Amino acid sequence: MSKRSRACDIKPKVKEVVRQRDFGRCAVCQAPGLPNAHYIPRSQGGLGIEQNIVTLCPACHMAYDNGSKRKEYKDQIRQYLQSRYRNWNEEDLVFDKWKKVKR
């Protein structure tokens, strides 16, 4: 497994922290969900860290991943994450092979 793949993978510890942070509810519609959605997608180097992971229900996750509501949901998820992390910054959520990853 490459460094990028490891950095983008969501560890069980991160999933548990996100599940507790989100109370097991979708960040978009508040339905029950799983903490397995990347705000910045893995395909774009989105890290598997709690500041980049949200809980989404299956319907919202599918709509977010497949683009039918991508922009609307991305704006909503961005605001949600910004409200949870004081110095939240999108640039910190992307894999950079020259920067040490914070875990």
Side-chain angles (χ1 to χ4, degrees), residues 6-50:
R6 279 193 301 276
C8 296
D9 190 35
I10 308 170
K11 306 285 187 258
K13 179 181 174 184
V14 170
K15 286 184 180 188
E16 180 58 25
V17 169
V18 172
R19 186 190 66 73
Q20 289 179 12
R21 180 198 68 203
D22 299 344
F23 302 102
R25 299 304 216 171
C26 178
V28 175
C29 72
Q30 297 302 305
L34 298 172
N36 59 2
H38 285 72
Y39 169 72
I40 303 287
R42 288 176 62 126
S43 62
Q44 295 175 6
L47 296 171
I49 59 175
E50 64 184 85

Side-chain angles (χ1 to χ4, degrees), residues 77-90:
I77 293 168
R78 179 187 308 112
Q79 290 175 359
Y80 178 78
L81 290 169
Q82 286 174 330
S83 75
R84 298 296 187 266
Y85 299 98
R86 184 177 180 165
N87 295 315
W88 188 87
N89 182 345
E90 283 189 43

Side-chain angles (χ1 to χ4, degrees), residues 2-3 6 9 12 15-16 20 27 30 46 49 52 54-56 59-60 64 68 73 81-83 90 95 102:
S2 72
K3 284 184 181 181
R6 279 193 301 276
D9 190 35
K15 286 184 180 188
E16 180 58 25
Q20 289 179 12
Q30 297 302 305
I49 59 175
N52 190 44
V54 293
T55 301
L56 292 180
C60 289
Y64 186 58
S68 63
Y73 285 3
L81 290 169
Q82 286 174 330
S83 75
E90 283 189 43
F95 178 76
K102 297 180 205 173

